[in-house]
């Protein structure tokens, strides 16, 4: 959850192990002082994100990355850290022996695994002080979502997204362009994107502006998200049907009716 009056640091997490990557994202987002704009696993992906128009204040880098190899993360820092417009870098690793070189490279902090809430919070406070010295990095640009398509990356505006779905420890993003994988938890995404997206189910986060229909069948409630549909005319529904949790159904209905007209509330 964002803290009032705080301009969160835009963070990129480079970590090849999914559990460690997801845990660091949760810790960062949990402070309210950071928005994770991407959580990725390889050097190639990191360079793609940094070359795109995604504003990044700080990159959390694991030192050893597979399949890039031992020391690959440190090599990335060597390559990029001294550039005039480089983001801040934090080494997030299980190994202590790179601390001296990290200091020489000017990395902003050195996080040792296992990560803790207290240490991550202290790191972000240190980064905030450094950001103040350097000036804010492109924070007025809209945040984009980094998703995966095979070995490539896809950059999406939040307005293009119909919904995020969590299933089997994976998160998917549904759009008119297709469905892609995202390396962030649903809670982290919800925290970053705010009230434009509504949590309608434990496993679903939906862009309210793309909700086209709400249906009730007995005690079950569903919504349809996607483009406008007219099955009787086209026979085609381009979108997806999303379940609404029973305890959230009334709230979702009220949300949809709050800025609509034409139906008497019951």
């Amino acid at each position: 959850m964002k803290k009032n009056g705080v301009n969160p640091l835009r963070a990129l997490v480079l970590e090849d192990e999914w559990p460690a990557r997801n845990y660091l994202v949760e810790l960062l987002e949990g402070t309210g002082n950071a928005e994770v704009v991407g959580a990725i696993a390889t050097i190639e992906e990191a360079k793609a994100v940094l070359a795109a128009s995604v504003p990044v204040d700080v990159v959390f880098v694991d030192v050893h990355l597979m399949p890039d190899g031992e020391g690959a993360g440190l090599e990335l820092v060597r390559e990029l850290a001294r550039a005039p417009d480089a983001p801040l870098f934090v080494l997030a690793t299980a190994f202590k022996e790179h601390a001296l070189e990290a200091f020489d490279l000017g990395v902003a902090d050195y996080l040792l695994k296992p990560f803790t809430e207290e240490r991550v919070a202290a790191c972000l406070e240190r980064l905030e002080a450094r950001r103040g010295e350097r000036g804010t990095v492109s924070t007025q640009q809209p945040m984009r979502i980094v998703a995966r398509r095979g070995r490539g990356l896809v950059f999406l505006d939040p307005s293009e997204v119909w919904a995020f779905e969590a299933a089997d420890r994976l998160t998917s993003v549904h759009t008119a362009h297709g469905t892609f994988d995202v390396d962030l938890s649903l809670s982290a995404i919800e925290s970053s994107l705010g009230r434009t997206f509504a949590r309608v189910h434990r496993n679903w986060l939906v862009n309210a502006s793309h909700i086209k229909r709400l249906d009730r069948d007995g005690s079950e409630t569903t919504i349809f998200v996607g483009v406008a549909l007219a099955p009787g005319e086209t026979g085609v529904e381009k979108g997806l049907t999303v379940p609404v949790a029973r305890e959230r159904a009334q709230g979702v209905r009220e949300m949809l009716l709050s800025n609509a007209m034409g139906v008497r509330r019951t």
Side-chain angles (χ1 to χ4, degrees), residues 30-85:
T31 65
N33 291 330
E35 290 180 347
V36 178
V37 300
I40 52 181
T42 69
I43 296 294
E44 180 182 5
E45 292 170 338
K47 290 183 176 179
V49 172
L50 294 174
S53 58
V54 179
V56 174
D57 293 310
V58 56
V59 186
F60 290 81
V61 183
D62 189 13
V63 172
H64 298 320
L65 297 164
M66 299 304 293
D68 292 307
E70 292 188 3
L74 194 57
E75 184 60 35
L76 177 75
V77 178
R78 292 191 193 106
E79 179 180 342
L80 301 179
R82 299 193 190 283
D85 57 347

Side-chain angles (χ1 to χ4, degrees), residues 249-261:
Q250 186 61 32
V252 171
R253 187 174 188 276
E254 289 297 321
M255 176 195 70
L256 294 173
L257 291 177
S258 65
N259 62 350
M261 57 181 292

Side-chain angles (χ1 to χ4, degrees), residues 82-120:
R82 299 193 190 283
D85 57 347
L88 297 169
F89 285 93
V90 172
L91 290 188
T93 176
F95 303 96
K96 300 179 179 178
E97 59 265 34
H98 306 292
L100 183 58
E101 182 174 4
F103 177 79
D104 290 339
L105 290 171
V107 302
D109 205 345
Y110 199 98
L111 277 182
L112 281 174
K113 298 177 182 177
F115 308 126
T116 66
E117 292 182 13
E118 294 76 13
R119 186 63 183 86
V120 169

Side-chain angles (χ1 to χ4, degrees), residues 8-255:
L9 289 151
R10 297 178 184 273
L12 177 67
V13 174
L14 173 57
E15 164 67 65
D16 60 333
E17 297 180 2
W18 185 88
R21 184 167 67 238
N22 201 45
Y23 185 52
L24 181 54
V25 169
E26 290 183 3
L27 291 178
L28 290 169
E29 297 277 5
T31 65
N33 291 330
E35 290 180 347
V36 178
V37 300
I40 52 181
T42 69
I43 296 294
E44 180 182 5
E45 292 170 338
K47 290 183 176 179
V49 172
L50 294 174
S53 58
V54 179
V56 174
D57 293 310
V58 56
V59 186
F60 290 81
V61 183
D62 189 13
V63 172
H64 298 320
L65 297 164
M66 299 304 293
D68 292 307
E70 292 188 3
L74 194 57
E75 184 60 35
L76 177 75
V77 178
R78 292 191 193 106
E79 179 180 342
L80 301 179
R82 299 193 190 283
D85 57 347
L88 297 169
F89 285 93
V90 172
L91 290 188
T93 176
F95 303 96
K96 300 179 179 178
E97 59 265 34
H98 306 292
L100 183 58
E101 182 174 4
F103 177 79
D104 290 339
L105 290 171
V107 302
D109 205 345
Y110 199 98
L111 277 182
L112 281 174
K113 298 177 182 177
F115 308 126
T116 66
E117 292 182 13
E118 294 76 13
R119 186 63 183 86
V120 169
C123 174
L124 290 177
E125 290 179 3
R126 185 173 302 176
L127 292 172
E128 184 60 41
R130 289 285 299 270
R131 180 169 68 168
E133 297 169 0
R134 294 158 53 107
T136 301
V137 180
S138 303
T139 54
Q140 298 305 312
Q141 297 184 36
M143 183 169 59
R144 302 174 78 192
I145 298 159
V146 185
R148 296 179 184 276
R149 170 181 277 175
R151 295 179 58 83
L153 298 178
V154 178
F155 299 91
L156 301 166
D157 291 330
S159 62
E160 297 179 282
V161 173
W162 292 344
F164 295 94
E165 177 186 10
D168 299 328
R169 299 174 62 84
L170 298 176
T171 303
S172 301
V173 54
H174 299 275
T175 75
H177 313 297
T179 298
F180 312 98
D181 297 329
V182 179
D183 284 341
L184 300 176
S185 69
L186 218 56
S187 296
I189 296 169
E190 182 179 15
S191 175
S192 296
L193 296 181
R195 300 181 64 181
T196 303
F197 283 75
R199 190 69 167 264
V200 301
H201 188 278
R202 179 167 55 90
N203 296 330
W204 286 91
L205 183 64
V206 173
N207 189 336
S209 63
H210 285 298
I211 298 176
K212 302 301 182 187
R213 196 175 71 215
L214 181 144
D215 294 306
R216 286 178 172 174
D217 184 6
S219 61
E220 303 298 324
T221 301
T222 59
I223 53 177
F224 181 88
V225 293
V227 298
L229 71 163
E233 299 173 3
T234 66
V236 176
E237 294 185 351
K238 188 174 182 181
L240 66 157
T241 299
V242 175
V244 179
R246 292 185 183 182
E247 69 275 13
R248 297 175 185 263
Q250 186 61 32
V252 171
R253 187 174 188 276
E254 289 297 321
M255 176 195 70

